[in-house]
Amino acid sequence: MTITNHFPRGFLWGTATASHQVEGNNTNNNWYAWEQAGHTRDKSGLACDWWGGRWKEDMERAAETGQNTHRFSIEWSRVQPTPDRWDESAIEKYRSMARGMVERGLTPLVTLHHFSDPLWLYEQCGWETEAVLPCFEKYARKMAEALKEYVSTWVTINEPNVYALNGYVAADFPTCPQGHKGMAVALRVLANMLRGHAAAYRALHEIQPEAHVGYALHYRPMVAARPWFPLDALMRKIQYDGINMAFPSAISSGVMKSPLGKVNIPEAKGLQDFVGLNYYSVDTVKFDWSARKELFGRRYYPADSDFSTNKFIANIPCGLFDSVRWAAETYPDTPIVITENGVEDADDKLRPRYLAQHLQQLWRAVNFNYPVKGYYHWSLVDNFEWERGWSQRFGLWGLDVETQARIRRPSVDLYAEICRENGISDEMVEKYCPEVREKMFPGRNVAP
Ligand code: BGC
């Protein structure tokens, strides 16, 4: 007898991508400038050549392997190359992409902003000033008009917390030509992103009243290294609030709260039709005098973790359950979508069990009646991993960057079986990651 953990009927099964990471030849944005200046391990180059047309074959792959949705992003710098000009041919291309997805049975979910900014915006210091707000709102309107025929679910901004912290605090991401840095400006950027989210939310709803609009939060559960030690608990709280809570607090109360202060943004209160969660792993936090840059709270993975290739991610599936529970308790009656979850693993040794175990935790969450509506695996095919370049491979499909060939990893077939079954079974686990079968489906060897 097979045991299957089934998901609710109509569950959304997909993968997620972002324009700069897959399109290639994106020469008019801040990331291109950052790459040319030598701040990244590699250059994005042709990426997955989606702009050259290979999105079609990748969507073919997604559809043929049982997926029913795809999350992709619009490259703002392509549709608005200069502040005074829309590129209608680029917009038409995005329309054909969205249409192409619909035709293949993939419901499109569109992200308006996924880390990359047009060069003209970068040159005027992007999200540091409120000058960005009318621009972002216009862009949102333009895209809503262009895509409303095919798209009704929108993510305004992807991971504003990562954008602000990786840029203005860690200096791994571009900020502005003057290279502004610091906590104060990071907070200002976050506040403007919240205002931008609110403006885009309203604009999208005005044009498309039935739209579902949210943003994607990079949510990191955290645990104190020594729960009995007050300084670890305090550091955990500071890191947790600092990294996770700016957007969520403002959506709940209209006040953006952070350990560094509060900003009133009443117009953002309640503006989310679903909670978009990007979950990858859980951090352990320890008080550490030497971690000045991290405000004395060192974040790390325990040494005995189930690590990814570059130790960038530790496989901690229960963190996904905890993330969903947090979302459900914080925003009662709001649908939850896992907008990203995945692992870098060129050899596909860890991914099958990462996938299976995370999905079982998601199934657990569903059984608590938490309103989870969909899951987007990051990612469909290896893509350009920002400052880490091509050193991290997150694709179900591998990519040969030189030849553009796609490599079918075993996870492609595991995910296909899950999508088709709308559930995950002990047989699938036995076939793709037998090492966790007993853990996931205990007692299977016991005779009836
Ligand atoms: C980002 C993606 C990125 C992924 C893996 C997420 O934080 O949204 O763009 O590729 O993490 O690093």
Side-chain angles (χ1 to χ4, degrees), residues 5-250:
N5 297 162
H6 275 118
F7 282 73
R9 210 174 295 143
F11 197 79
L12 290 168
W13 292 106
T15 47
T17 53
S19 57
H20 190 72
Q21 297 181 268
V22 292
E23 286 181 356
N25 282 330
N26 257 323
T27 56
N28 192 27
N29 69 19
N30 57 341
W31 270 92
Y32 184 75
W34 192 241
E35 290 167 31
Q36 299 314 302
H39 294 296
T40 53
R41 183 186 178 275
D42 309 294
K43 295 198 166 70
S44 51
L46 253 196
C48 307
D49 195 24
W50 275 27
W51 205 249
R54 282 184 213 263
W55 65 269
K56 279 192 201 121
E57 45 168 289
D58 284 337
M59 285 308 110
E60 219 47 70
R61 291 184 176 94
E64 276 168 9
T65 51
Q67 297 171 36
N68 57 24
T69 180
H70 185 72
R71 172 179 173 224
F72 73 112
S73 81
I74 308 294
E75 179 57 40
W76 187 358
S77 63
R78 284 200 191 272
V79 304
Q80 195 177 9
T82 53
D84 55 353
R85 191 169 76 82
W86 299 108
D87 182 337
E88 297 296 339
S89 69
I91 294 175
E92 193 42 51
K93 199 143 162 173
Y94 284 118
R95 274 174 58 80
S96 66
M97 276 163 105
R99 189 186 318 122
M101 290 177 203
V102 172
E103 283 165 1
R104 291 171 175 81
L106 300 162
T107 303
L109 185 165
V110 165
T111 307
L112 290 176
H113 185 278
H114 195 126
F115 295 163
S116 51
D117 291 311
L119 260 188
W120 55 264
L121 183 65
Y122 167 73
E123 273 153 17
Q124 65 186 53
C125 292
W127 295 85
E128 291 174 32
T129 75
E130 293 195 22
V132 63
L133 301 178
C135 306
F136 190 60
E137 184 186 333
K138 272 186 210 138
Y139 161 59
R141 273 182 201 286
K142 186 79 182 171
M143 296 324 300
E145 291 290 2
L147 297 177
K148 65 180 182 204
E149 197 178 337
Y150 309 112
V151 177
S152 59
T153 309
W154 306 83
V155 161
T156 54
I157 301 180
N158 179 72
E159 298 189 344
N161 51 350
V162 171
Y163 178 94
L165 295 173
N166 282 15
Y168 292 90
V169 181
D172 286 333
F173 281 19
T175 57
C176 66
Q178 296 76 26
H180 294 158
K181 274 180 69 176
M183 292 286 188
V185 58
L187 270 189
R188 214 160 65 223
V189 164
L190 273 169
N192 284 330
M193 287 188 135
L194 257 162
R195 296 182 182 109
H197 163 74
Y201 178 98
R202 292 209 160 85
L204 290 164
H205 271 285
E206 219 177 279
I207 293 166
Q208 193 182 41
E210 76 280 14
H212 300 280
V213 185
Y215 72 97
L217 172 68
H218 184 95
Y219 182 76
R220 292 199 79 90
M222 294 187 198
V223 293
R226 296 156 295 185
W228 45 267
F229 186 47
L231 279 178
D232 283 1
L234 177 67
M235 290 304 132
R236 188 212 79 93
K237 169 117 181 70
I238 292 173
Q239 293 283 331
Y240 178 88
D241 288 351
I243 289 173
N244 292 309
M245 292 311 289
F247 258 60
S249 58

Side-chain angles (χ1 to χ4, degrees), residues 21 114-115 158-159 218 280 340 378 385-386 388 394:
Q21 297 181 268
H114 195 126
F115 295 163
N158 179 72
E159 298 189 344
H218 184 95
Y280 286 89
E340 285 179 30
W378 186 274
E385 274 299 328
W386 309 112
R388 288 151 274 134
F394 275 84

Side-chain angles (χ1 to χ4, degrees), residues 239 253 261 283 329 363 375 436 441:
Q239 293 283 331
S253 67
D283 288 328
E329 286 172 357
W363 169 81
Y375 173 86
V436 289
F441 296 93

Side-chain angles (χ1 to χ4, degrees), residues 219-223 240 277-283 314-327 338 340-341 354 357-362 364-365:
Y219 182 76
R220 292 199 79 90
M222 294 187 198
V223 293
Y240 178 88
L277 287 178
N278 292 359
Y279 170 77
Y280 286 89
S281 199
V282 176
D283 288 328
N315 176 26
I316 310 179
C318 61
L320 181 57
F321 176 86
D322 293 340
S323 304
V324 171
R325 181 174 51 195
W326 167 81
I338 306 306
E340 285 179 30
N341 171 245
Y354 182 97
Q357 291 182 288
H358 281 75
L359 288 176
Q360 193 179 47
Q361 289 296 322
L362 198 59
R364 253 186 84 210

